[in-house]
Amino acid sequence: QVQLVESGGGLVQPGGSLRLSCTASGDIFSIYNMGWYRQVPGNQRELVADINSNGITKYGDSVKGRFTISRGNDKNTVHLQMNMLTPDDTAVYYCNAVLDWVDRRYGFSLTKDEYWGQGTQVTVSS
């Protein structure tokens, strides 16, 4: 079983910074992509930032130049540094991972799946 555990959300004033972290745990063979999406009520979930196994990053247009995604030393952790936050950044942020996990029920096989974290609230308000 694979789990994504997020941390770092909270309340911050406009112009401030927050850092989100997400760690994937379980019987993971390899991770293709890890990233962050966000959602506000009534809207679709949107890409914030993504990083692949080669370190190639992708950002949503509204966060370019303000947010930075990076991988931790253990490669199963991803960080999102969010600077110059505005009220429009207020949302629930979800960690996402696309990975191969090891299925040992009938020997050894790999299954590719997508996982989501439980979400962490980020509120930008004065």
Side-chain angles (χ1 to χ4, degrees):
Q1 191 74 4
V2 173
Q3 284 188 321
L4 302 184
V5 178
E6 302 145 334
S7 62
L11 173 65
V12 64
Q13 291 188 338
S17 298
L18 276 178
R19 189 182 195 223
L20 304 183
S21 295
C22 174
T23 298
S25 63
D27 209 346
I28 297 168
F29 184 80
S30 63
I31 298 178
Y32 296 97
N33 295 74
M34 283 189 80
W36 292 92
Y37 289 71
R38 67 187 182 187
Q39 189 171 24
V40 297
N43 286 9
Q44 285 189 332
R45 197 169 291 188
E46 64 173 5
L47 171 72
V48 177
D50 179 87
I51 185 167
N52 71 11
S53 57
N54 294 319
I56 296 173
T57 58
K58 188 168 51 178
Y59 293 93
D61 288 341
S62 63
V63 307
K64 286 178 182 175
R66 300 187 298 123
F67 292 11
T68 303
I69 191 168
S70 60
R71 296 192 94 151
N73 291 334
D74 65 0
K75 303 300 182 186
N76 284 6
T77 297
V78 64
H79 306 290
L80 182 68
Q81 179 65 42
M82 305 186 293
N83 298 329
M84 297 183 287
L85 286 159
T86 75
D88 287 341
D89 295 314
T90 296
V92 178
Y93 284 68
Y94 294 92
C95 181
N96 172 271
V98 178
L99 53 84
D100 280 334
W101 60 275
V102 181
D103 187 341
R104 301 181 189 275
R105 291 174 295 177
Y106 307 107
F108 180 96
S109 64
L110 299 179
T111 301
K112 184 176 182 179
D113 258 330
E114 181 177 33
Y115 290 88
W116 293 90
Q118 79 281 2
T120 185
Q121 177 70 44
V122 171
T123 302
V124 184
S125 174
S126 54

